[in-house]
Amino acid sequence: QTVKSIPEIDAVSADITESTTVYYLGESANIAVTGTDPKVWSDIATVEIDKGRLLAPGDRNAIVIGSNVADGLFDSKVSLNRQLKINGKSFRVVGVLEEAGSFGAYDREIFMPITQGYDTLDKPQGEFDKITVRVGNIDDVERTVDLIERKLMIVRHVTDDTRDFTVISMKATQEKIGEILQGFTMFLGVIAAISLL
């Protein structure tokens, strides 16, 4: 509610997530499972659907899987309408996400409605592992990060020394990755120059 009260924020998704063992056709794999609110997930998700559909309000025993879960983690491909077993419960695949790219944020994840996520992942109701927000204007990102930090510190009664949360900006992350890649390119350039010499 505190985060939602910030005017610069267009959408908020409060999620739970946990790595757990998932079974498919007698095989098992450890996969990150996220419970999310279907009503806002489509406003927050930064990857498109490849096959099927996203989660919808009212879905029961339905999941959307990342591209690597669909093809790569198990010997047999996981296609639409197949059943995966998570913590003893069966879920039907209603959607497969497009490949997220080099950093594969969603590729090795499974998404289910948060209402079922609490039961399946045995999480306390009303607690969240992460809150994702979408800011309307990219120029407001840094100011919004500061606002979130200040407001959460007030409502959680914490100081800089006792703070129990972290706010990460995707814009800052992308800039950092860009710097690393640029440094890597320069490093390769130096190696090429030495090779030429």
Side-chain angles (χ1 to χ4, degrees):
Q1 295 304 319
T2 300
V3 173
K4 281 180 179 178
S5 71
I6 298 171
E8 288 81 2
I9 292 175
D10 282 354
V12 178
S13 176
D15 303 332
I16 55 174
T17 188
E18 187 174 285
S19 287
T20 191
T21 305
V22 177
Y23 295 90
Y24 177 63
L25 298 180
E27 292 183 83
S28 66
N30 197 261
I31 303 172
V33 178
T34 295
T36 191
D37 183 351
K39 292 195 292 286
V40 294
W41 189 40
S42 58
D43 295 328
I44 293 288
T46 55
V47 68
E48 299 293 324
I49 200 81
D50 181 38
K51 299 178 185 73
R53 61 174 176 82
L54 290 173
L55 296 170
D59 269 343
R60 294 286 298 169
N61 304 319
I63 52 173
V64 171
I65 62 176
S67 62
N68 196 232
V69 178
D71 187 8
L73 290 187
F74 302 101
D75 286 343
S76 301
K77 286 185 180 181
V78 184
S79 51
L80 290 178
N81 297 315
R82 289 288 190 170
Q83 300 277 332
L84 294 179
K85 190 161 275 192
I86 305 168
N87 289 347
K89 298 174 183 175
S90 290
F91 291 87
R92 183 173 65 90
V93 176
V94 297
V96 178
L97 297 173
E98 283 185 354
E99 191 173 346
S102 13
F103 298 100
Y106 294 122
D107 293 347
R108 287 180 62 98
E109 251 183 286
I110 293 174
F111 297 87
M112 66 174 60
I114 193 166
T115 47
Q116 281 198 284
Y118 279 119
D119 292 334
T120 307
L121 303 176
D122 196 25
K123 296 270 188 178
Q125 288 280 344
E127 288 190 10
F128 307 109
D129 295 307
K130 64 179 178 180
I131 298 172
T132 308
V133 305
R134 190 187 72 198
V135 178
N137 188 337
I138 195 167
D139 296 330
D140 293 334
V141 168
E142 287 175 22
R143 191 162 61 86
T144 306
V145 167
D146 290 339
L147 273 171
I148 291 171
E149 288 177 341
R150 286 206 307 274
K151 283 178 173 275
L152 284 181
M153 284 173 74
I154 291 167
V155 298
R156 297 183 71 81
H157 309 292
V158 295
T159 65
D160 284 330
D161 294 331
T162 60
R163 187 157 68 164
D164 55 359
F165 65 89
T166 305
V167 182
I168 300 167
S169 156
M170 187 58 73
K171 182 185 175 189
T173 304
Q174 288 172 338
E175 286 171 358
K176 194 73 179 170
I177 289 167
E179 287 172 15
I180 292 167
L181 291 176
Q182 189 177 12
F184 185 61
T185 305
M186 288 174 67
F187 178 65
L188 288 176
V190 170
I191 290 174
I194 291 168
S195 299
L196 286 170
L197 286 171

